[in-house]
Amino acid sequence: MAALKSLRTSIDKLDLQILKLVNERASYASEIGKIKNDQGAKSFPPAREEEVMKNVLEASKGPLDEATIRAVFREIMSGSRALQKVLKVAYLGPEYSYSHLAAVERFGQNIEYMRVGSIASVFEEVNRSHVDFGVVPLENSTDGGVSDTLDMFMRLPQLKISAEVRLKIHHNLLANCEQEMIRRVYSKPQALAQCRNWLSKNLPHADLKDVSSTAVAAQLAQQEPGAAAVASRQAAVKYGLRILFNDIEDYSHNETRFAVIGHQECPKTGNDKTALMFRVPHNPGSLVEALDIFKQNKLNLTWIESFPAKTGTQEYMFFVDFEGHIEDPKVKRALHLLEQKCDQLAVLGSFPMALVIG
């Protein structure tokens, strides 16, 4: 008991030291905020926040794991940012949808969140400056690009990608009944698709029902007898559901990349991506000629997706990410050449590369 009391006394002393240092850090952050305000700079610096997170994760020797360190510093930065300005962020709701989890992972809890009913609504709220940023799913490693997001970039190409969030997606089967009693399984179409093999093997007689989000699915599973949901662990806690089966996604490396959209452009960090969308003439070889520009300028493509251009003809818009920042000389050179080859070209933003979370 004496040893236990001594250890607890040591922890109490450390807690006070941590508190003092955290508040001291916040004071410095507040001073930085005043300087940025005088200079007209933005209060959300994704490049700087990525740098801080990278530094602490590399310096950590344990025993706390990476997820814990990330959560602690995410909230410290969120609270410090709120001393400068409380950001407003829109996401596809309700709470504990994967879009909500991605938003919290990027911005922390000291944010005024606005949940909306569709990806299009996220874009519209940002475009009208009702919020500072929006968080939208961009692509999934299993299913590819998210069509609603690609469509809205075509409608509102003036909006920029300010940051990205790469979230490992682990789906769970949630219900308050036994497996043999399940007659319906609710979830977002993409989530059901990412678990199609598991569901066909384990619930072959259940009807699969599409809903707007995984969180809505959890709400329905809570309310309806014989209903289940494919959703997150956090949704299970929120809606009082049992997790019947963990990690039912068909591919263990299932990941969704989310885009933080806004009007803000990010400065160069040296570890950046640039996102574009372009449309080439409907001629033989025009796409090959456009893509060859990236090769000529030694720009490594990290993503390419095609989407109907909706021009009334059989044309496609191409979305690409590549390594580099719009201020890099070789990127400027490539964009100049690409502009000459394309009927339409829009830069969707340069932003820091993010690490996979989860």
Side-chain angles (χ1 to χ4, degrees), residues 81-140:
R81 196 191 313 117
L83 294 174
Q84 304 169 26
K85 177 186 178 182
V86 177
L87 296 177
K88 296 181 180 179
V89 177
Y91 68 91
L92 174 62
E95 287 184 311
Y96 302 102
S97 64
Y98 287 109
S99 291
H100 178 233
L101 298 179
V104 171
E105 183 60 50
R106 190 63 190 80
F107 290 97
Q109 299 288 352
N110 283 276
I111 295 294
E112 184 178 333
Y113 284 114
M114 176 188 289
R115 59 187 185 189
V116 297
S118 67
I119 289 173
S121 296
V122 176
F123 275 82
E124 292 294 350
E125 292 299 320
V126 176
N127 188 52
R128 295 168 184 165
S129 297
H130 293 170
V131 296
D132 298 292
F133 296 99
V135 176
V136 292
L138 185 58
E139 62 158 335
N140 177 265

Side-chain angles (χ1 to χ4, degrees), residues 2 16-17 21 30 42 50 58 82 88 93 95-96 121-122 169 193-194 196-197 216 265 283:
L16 293 177
Q17 292 177 38
L21 290 171
S30 184
K42 303 296 184 181
E50 288 287 345
E58 289 180 351
K88 296 181 180 179
E95 287 184 311
Y96 302 102
S121 296
V122 176
I169 302 297
Q194 290 160 26
R196 62 170 66 89
N197 292 336
V216 168
E265 297 188 8
N283 300 321

Side-chain angles (χ1 to χ4, degrees), residues 55-284:
N55 289 342
V56 296
L57 291 175
E58 289 180 351
S60 177
K61 305 301 181 184
L64 292 178
D65 61 19
E66 181 178 309
T68 303
I69 297 296
R70 178 180 287 277
V72 169
F73 276 86
R74 180 189 67 212
E75 295 306 326
I76 289 173
M77 287 190 287
S78 182
S80 298
R81 196 191 313 117
L83 294 174
Q84 304 169 26
K85 177 186 178 182
V86 177
L87 296 177
K88 296 181 180 179
V89 177
Y91 68 91
L92 174 62
E95 287 184 311
Y96 302 102
S97 64
Y98 287 109
S99 291
H100 178 233
L101 298 179
V104 171
E105 183 60 50
R106 190 63 190 80
F107 290 97
Q109 299 288 352
N110 283 276
I111 295 294
E112 184 178 333
Y113 284 114
M114 176 188 289
R115 59 187 185 189
V116 297
S118 67
I119 289 173
S121 296
V122 176
F123 275 82
E124 292 294 350
E125 292 299 320
V126 176
N127 188 52
R128 295 168 184 165
S129 297
H130 293 170
V131 296
D132 298 292
F133 296 99
V135 176
V136 292
L138 185 58
E139 62 158 335
N140 177 265
S141 57
T142 303
D143 295 327
V146 178
S147 59
D148 289 349
T149 299
L150 302 184
D151 182 60
M152 288 307 299
F153 272 124
M154 290 169 54
R155 293 171 186 265
L156 298 172
Q158 67 271 26
L159 296 184
K160 301 298 181 184
I161 300 177
S162 302
E164 66 175 1
V165 183
R166 295 175 59 192
L167 201 63
K168 280 192 176 181
I169 302 297
H170 298 293
H171 295 303
N172 307 277
L173 187 72
L174 316 182
N176 279 335
C177 62
E178 299 303 322
Q179 178 182 357
E180 58 270 16
M181 301 290 291
I182 295 173
R183 297 292 176 265
R184 292 172 302 284
V185 179
Y186 292 103
S187 200
K188 192 173 175 63
Q190 290 89 341
L192 293 174
Q194 290 160 26
C195 305
R196 62 170 66 89
N197 292 336
W198 190 96
L199 291 169
S200 63
K201 180 179 178 180
N202 294 278
L203 294 169
H205 303 298
D207 292 329
L208 306 184
K209 302 287 188 180
D210 294 348
V211 292
S212 60
S213 76
T214 54
V216 168
Q219 287 178 315
L220 292 170
Q222 180 194 48
Q223 297 165 3
E224 294 185 18
V230 174
S232 67
R233 285 177 168 272
Q234 293 89 335
V237 174
K238 169 69 175 178
Y239 298 106
L241 293 165
R242 292 163 50 204
I243 300 178
L244 298 188
F245 297 95
N246 298 300
D247 301 340
I248 65 170
E249 62 274 6
D250 294 330
Y251 300 100
S252 58
H253 298 293
N254 188 34
E255 173 194 330
T256 296
R257 186 162 65 106
F258 296 83
V260 176
I261 58 172
H263 300 282
Q264 177 176 321
E265 297 188 8
C266 294
K268 181 177 176 179
T269 70
N271 187 39
D272 305 292
K273 284 181 185 175
T274 296
L276 308 174
M277 65 177 184
F278 63 86
R279 179 168 55 87
V280 294
H282 192 49
N283 300 321

